[in-house]
Amino acid sequence: MTDRPHQDSANSMWGGRFAAGPDAIMEAINASIGFDRRLYAQDIRGSRAHAAMLAATGIISDSDAMAIREGLLTVLSEIEGGDFPFRTDLEDIHMNVEARLKELVGEPAGRLHTGRSRNDQVATDFRLWVRDQYDAAIDGLTALIRAALSQAEAGADWVMPGFTHLQTAQPVTWGHHMMAYVEMFGRDRSRFQDARRRMNESPLGAAALAGTGYPIDRHATAQALGFDAPMANSLDAVSDRDFALEFLSASSICAVHLSRLAEELVIWSSAQFRFVSMSDKWSTGSSIMPQKRNPDAAELIRAKIGRILGATVALFTVMKGLPLAYSKDMQEDKEQVFDAADSLMLALAAMSGMLFDLTANRDRMEAAASSGFSTATDLADWLVRELGLPFRDAHHVTGSLVALAERKGCDLPDLTLADLRSVHAGIDDRVFGVLGVHNSVASRQSYGGTAPDQVRAQITRWKERLA
Ligand code: ARG
């Protein structure tokens, strides 16, 4: 980038009424080219559509539009080729592109900005960029859901401890646990889909704020840019950033889900749990402790919520209380969204890869599920069902049996019939049918429950949804 500490002459784009250029610090705070150059493709696409519309409506000549549209393609290839002379004194991507166009095609370039303002231009460019991110998030989530589905399918009947308070609660299946994340990521995906439908309207042609006296065709530019319609209110069109706030909000919720799964992977891959082994591709070693296999990717995914939520809070704070229509504050929208989008896409891709390559340790999970009195609820339910005890009494009897097993240093299925009868004389040997973890999960047949049949039904439903 060519940095000019101080301009002696006024800005060539808007400096008509200025005698001198801006102070160097003014230029530094004002310029966005350092980051909004990332919108170059959208800027050029928007300008090409605008120029074509100006010619079609007779506002400029066909030959001028042709020169502009061809020149813009040259600018595009210069930027993509890495030899574009970005200039800080030209503030932003819009004026950098237009100034270069002027150098390339001369006078016709000056007609491009007819019936348009940088306010609707930046709103259009940014909307196009964010729209691509909605699509990337939807694709990334689809891949992630497929990865979780593949785990769920492999282990639909693998038993693991289900937790509340991170204490062993009741046995569940690995498939059921994976499908819980499929539901979360499915909601995330539909949030992005919803918001994308809502945001797909064109601000272009709102001009500075009030619309324009030129006979422009906003429907034509909206269509050329893949929007469903032009935005209905020009003041709203230039001042709305809901599309970015919704993207950040949906990203934040998605990042919460990612961080919860990441946290579980960190716990499960520890030497104390060993529920899962991460492949070499997704682990790192320690330079001092040779035994270490660190789940760095999971930890970093867990941390990304910090940046994404930070960006969300930042942009909400920028937008809050801004009077209509455009204010320069809104230039601060881009870096936050860029960073959040980059973080989200990376986290989604890393989580998909990690999950696809993950090995769940079936035996280890089953052994853990079989300890910790995880079938105590099944025992209490049996006492209610078979002996007619009120649930509260059954809960009490079961509590005494847990205490007995604890004293004996064994688990519930290891108690003898005599042990069981010493607490409640009505118990008979049919009870052993419910004390095992496989019986326990198989019995949870309620809709959405952990029974393998239920889990498989949900897997089928999701595969149909994604097909
Ligand atoms: N760089 C500006 C932004 O990102 C473009 C719009 C400038 N508009 C203006 N009236 N100064 O918001």
Side-chain angles (χ1 to χ4, degrees), residues 32 36 92 94 118-119 122 241 326 328 330-331 334:
S32 54
D36 69 12
D92 56 26
H94 324 295
R118 267 191 298 156
N119 297 348
V122 72
R241 292 294 181 273
Y326 177 85
K328 193 68 173 239
M330 290 161 70
Q331 179 166 289
K334 290 168 209 68

Side-chain angles (χ1 to χ4, degrees), residues 14 30-33 35-36 39 91-95 117-123 208 241 326-334:
W14 45 250
N30 201 33
S32 54
I33 188 61
F35 49 88
D36 69 12
L39 302 176
E91 280 183 44
D92 56 26
I93 186 63
H94 324 295
M95 296 204 294
S117 151
R118 267 191 298 156
N119 297 348
D120 59 334
Q121 190 179 356
V122 72
R241 292 294 181 273
Y326 177 85
S327 296
K328 193 68 173 239
D329 308 50
M330 290 161 70
Q331 179 166 289
E332 291 285 315
D333 56 359
K334 290 168 209 68

Side-chain angles (χ1 to χ4, degrees), residues 227-250:
F227 289 115
D228 296 329
M231 291 179 77
N233 182 300
S234 63
L235 291 165
D236 179 49
V238 293
S239 60
D240 168 48
R241 292 294 181 273
D242 290 0
F243 63 95
L245 294 173
E246 283 201 77
F247 177 78
L248 292 170
S249 305

Side-chain angles (χ1 to χ4, degrees), residues 109-158:
R111 301 187 191 280
L112 168 61
H113 214 51
T114 313
R116 183 179 79 168
S117 151
R118 267 191 298 156
N119 297 348
D120 59 334
Q121 190 179 356
V122 72
T124 304
D125 295 1
F126 196 36
R127 214 171 255 263
L128 289 171
W129 192 90
V130 175
R131 188 175 70 185
D132 285 347
Q133 302 304 308
Y134 275 104
D135 291 337
I138 292 163
D139 289 349
L141 279 160
T142 306
L144 179 54
I145 290 169
R146 285 189 203 286
L149 275 173
S150 75
Q151 285 290 345
E153 213 170 7
D157 57 0
W158 298 1

